Amino acid sequence: MSNQDQNDWEIDHGIAVEESEPEVKPPPMYKVVLLNDDYSPMDFVVEVIMKFFGKQREEATKIMLQVHYEGKGVCGIYRSEIAETKVVQVNEYSKANQHPLMCIMEEA
């Protein structure tokens, strides 16, 4: 049976056919997290947070203290591509400045 014949049959027999909108899921989000170490200076951590995550000094300081006291701190939540880019940028910047500060991403 062709599509036209099928449609005619459905119309003739009172079957209502409604086309549905495809369900579009939002992309998965990831937390970008700084990990504590015993060597990176607090000022450097604040600088990184401000430079790569666009935070003001006060908020960057709060995140730095969370990293220091709790072992890790969330700097932002992003789509996977953006989170991966930020992780690479922070890790390369830290290494270039001879600090062991590490950045990772976790599923949000």
Side-chain angles (χ1 to χ4, degrees):
M1 189 181 298
S2 73
N3 282 344
Q4 185 60 41
D5 291 339
Q6 179 71 26
N7 288 341
D8 291 342
W9 184 85
E10 290 171 351
I11 291 170
D12 291 343
H13 291 86
I15 299 173
V17 178
E18 181 180 332
E19 292 193 26
S20 63
E21 293 285 325
E23 289 187 38
V24 179
K25 293 182 182 178
M29 302 299 279
Y30 292 86
K31 297 183 277 188
V32 177
V33 180
L34 285 179
L35 302 177
N36 188 38
D37 64 72
D38 293 330
Y39 303 100
S40 299
M42 291 180 176
D43 289 341
F44 178 75
V45 177
V46 170
E47 174 191 333
V48 165
I49 295 167
M50 292 172 63
K51 181 178 182 77
F52 294 101
F53 301 98
K55 306 293 185 186
Q56 297 296 316
R57 183 166 298 282
E58 185 177 327
E59 187 175 0
T61 302
K62 287 180 184 179
I63 295 169
M64 177 274 298
L65 290 172
Q66 183 180 25
V67 171
H68 181 71
Y69 290 114
E70 297 177 22
K72 64 183 185 177
V74 176
C75 297
I77 300 175
Y78 307 94
R79 291 191 340 252
S80 65
E81 299 85 8
I82 296 171
E84 287 173 8
T85 300
K86 293 209 178 269
V87 167
V88 169
Q89 289 174 330
V90 169
N91 290 339
E92 287 179 355
Y93 185 75
S94 295
K95 185 176 181 178
N97 285 277
Q98 301 176 351
H99 293 295
L101 182 65
M102 289 297 300
C103 188
I104 62 168
M105 58 190 263
E106 298 176 346
E107 209 167 323

